[in-house]
Amino acid sequence: MFNEAHLDTYKAQLRGTLIQPDDAAYDEARKVYNAMIDKRPRLIARCADVADVIASVNFARENQLLLAVRGGGHNGGGLGTCDDGLVIDLSRLRGVRVDAKAHTVRAEGGCTWGDVDHATHAFGMATPAGIISTTGVGGLTLGGGIGHLSRRFGLTIDNLLGVDMVLADGSFVTANAKENADLFWAVRGGGGNFGVVTSFEYRLHPLSTVVAGPTLWPMERSAEVFKWYRDFIGKAPTELNGFFAFLTVPPGPPFPEELHLKKMCGVVWCYSGDPAQAEEALAPVRAMNPALYGVGPMPYPMLQSAFDALYPPGHQWYWRADFVNELPDEAIGLHVEYGAQLPTMQSSMHLYPIDGAVQRVGRKDTPFSYRDARWASVIVGVDPDPANRDRITDWCKNYWDALHPYSAGGAYINFMMDEGEDRVKATYREHYDRLAAIKRQYDPGNLFRVNQNIRPVATA
């Protein structure tokens, strides 16, 4: 453990704030999005700039402190915090700069997707991200980046042009297709294993208005709708994205009062092509006679923030996930069985399509090894009440256990809890050894291990 002289020297190096357990701000500062995670770091460095990040990495390494890195804090497994160690909190690094001529945006490591969308929308552009605007850009990007625009524009990592990083030895590097290309390959899906990313540069696409929103059907039609969706989405134009869900209808607008708190199945659509052609693309959806057709034109940031109020920080979360190649009728039957047992109003199952543009990127081009999968599924148990922790967890685990035999094997790492090394290896498959070799080069001591960890061992 460090001595007070070391700590005083470190504090003097910081432009930001160093928060300790006796400080009034500590309990608020140690919170993460998932209230099921309740950890007590020894130090929280709320970094003001890259120099603070460098000082913090050096202090953790030199004093053999467990180190966690937090951007948006959304990680379900709570991998942005730790007990008794140092948390590098990037939340003050929120700068966003759009280069309208080059169609790029640079976002600092503490940004949320709401920050990025706000800046890019003013120029009529966007880059693919997730589905909740309070999500941090760092965690989502480093794990892959699945969202509303995946079928048309690919994953977030497919639009990542470069990163600035602080490495385990405290050095600052840029990684892109020309500089440190091996490191750039690794961060496009390899998680936070390789350093602290202080800024990301993304490619932008012309996009302002989308035609989007939910369609809902009664639960008793869920098997029929699920089978229709399975057959429809892969043949739909890539401008049309839609993820299937089991849900309890929230008791408020825009949902009609007669549907409030009903368990239903649905699809949340996003048509990102020419709005004049949206009706034609969505005609098969209308033909399925949904109980609610809530699709209409809206600014893209409006869609990205549509779920923010439903999923505020501070709720209990437990989730399990899988990639899926095929959905036989037997698997759909199990989905319907467990989907009808949603334990709380905010619990859900989402099935995200990852075909189209996602599959046009080579399997070896990034660590994201499931380019051949058609969907990424996630089962989420959510509730504000800690008393329901076991209820949501048990439902989620039982649901996942029943469907896992029908999976492709691994899972989207951003949807994983702390599930062990074998699960991480199953997710990276043949890329794991290459990632481990790059890890050995850039972080031989495994300083960055509060993540879906890749151990720094050399390839055979």
Side-chain angles (χ1 to χ4, degrees), residues 298-336:
M298 65 181 70
Y300 176 66
M302 181 177 174
L303 173 64
Q304 282 288 85
S305 59
F307 297 104
D308 291 3
L310 183 62
Y311 293 112
H315 287 181
Q316 305 281 310
W317 280 76
Y318 189 89
W319 51 17
R320 300 296 293 272
D322 269 318
F323 287 117
V324 179
N325 291 335
E326 301 294 338
L327 276 169
D329 290 353
E330 296 83 2
I332 288 177
L334 289 168
H335 271 294
V336 170

Side-chain angles (χ1 to χ4, degrees), residues 375-451:
W375 293 281
S377 70
V378 63
I379 302 158
V380 290
V382 189
D383 197 69
D385 189 349
N388 285 327
R389 174 176 179 153
D390 290 344
R391 185 181 176 199
I392 62 177
T393 300
D394 290 347
W395 169 80
C396 184
K397 288 180 177 178
N398 292 337
Y399 193 160
W400 184 86
D401 286 345
L403 268 299
H404 183 62
Y406 296 92
S407 77
Y412 180 40
I413 66 165
N414 288 344
F415 288 158
M416 287 168 58
M417 305 295 281
D418 184 4
E419 299 172 30
E421 187 177 34
D422 288 347
R423 190 81 168 123
V424 175
K425 288 182 175 179
T427 290
Y428 290 116
R429 298 195 290 189
E430 73 273 20
H431 298 323
Y432 186 88
D433 287 346
R434 181 179 176 187
L435 288 165
I438 296 172
K439 174 78 167 178
R440 183 179 181 87
Q441 179 181 352
Y442 290 98
D443 184 16
N446 205 13
L447 179 66
F448 300 107
R449 61 185 181 274
V450 182
N451 45 45

Side-chain angles (χ1 to χ4, degrees), residues 137-146 155-160 163 165 182-194 197 200 202 323 361 363-371 411-416 424-425 427-429 431-432 435 438 451-454:
V137 302
L140 183 130
T141 300
L142 294 173
I146 295 170
L155 303 172
T156 305
I157 55 172
D158 302 334
N159 295 272
L160 183 65
V163 296
M165 295 180 66
D182 58 342
L183 183 60
F184 183 52
W185 179 86
V187 299
R188 284 178 290 163
N193 276 283
F194 305 96
V197 180
F200 300 81
Y202 303 96
F323 287 117
V361 176
R363 181 163 161 171
K364 295 181 180 180
D365 291 351
T366 70
F368 192 96
S369 72
Y370 281 86
R371 296 284 178 177
Y412 180 40
I413 66 165
N414 288 344
F415 288 158
M416 287 168 58
V424 175
K425 288 182 175 179
T427 290
Y428 290 116
R429 298 195 290 189
H431 298 323
Y432 186 88
L435 288 165
I438 296 172
N451 45 45
Q452 299 296 348
N453 195 231
I454 297 163

Side-chain angles (χ1 to χ4, degrees), residues 89-175:
D89 182 343
L90 301 176
S91 59
R92 288 182 61 180
L93 277 67
R94 299 284 283 270
V96 182
R97 186 179 185 279
V98 175
D99 185 332
K101 290 184 179 179
H103 283 206
T104 62
V105 59
R106 180 173 291 276
E108 291 187 316
C111 289
T112 66
W113 284 109
D115 298 328
V116 176
D117 292 337
H118 173 76
T120 60
H121 185 68
F123 295 90
M125 292 185 283
T127 197
I131 67 163
I132 294 180
S133 77
T134 57
T135 306
V137 302
L140 183 130
T141 300
L142 294 173
I146 295 170
H148 291 299
L149 302 178
S150 297
R151 298 190 72 236
R152 184 175 184 196
F153 296 130
L155 303 172
T156 305
I157 55 172
D158 302 334
N159 295 272
L160 183 65
L161 299 174
V163 296
D164 291 334
M165 295 180 66
V166 177
L167 303 180
D169 63 2
S171 62
F172 178 80
V173 300
T174 294

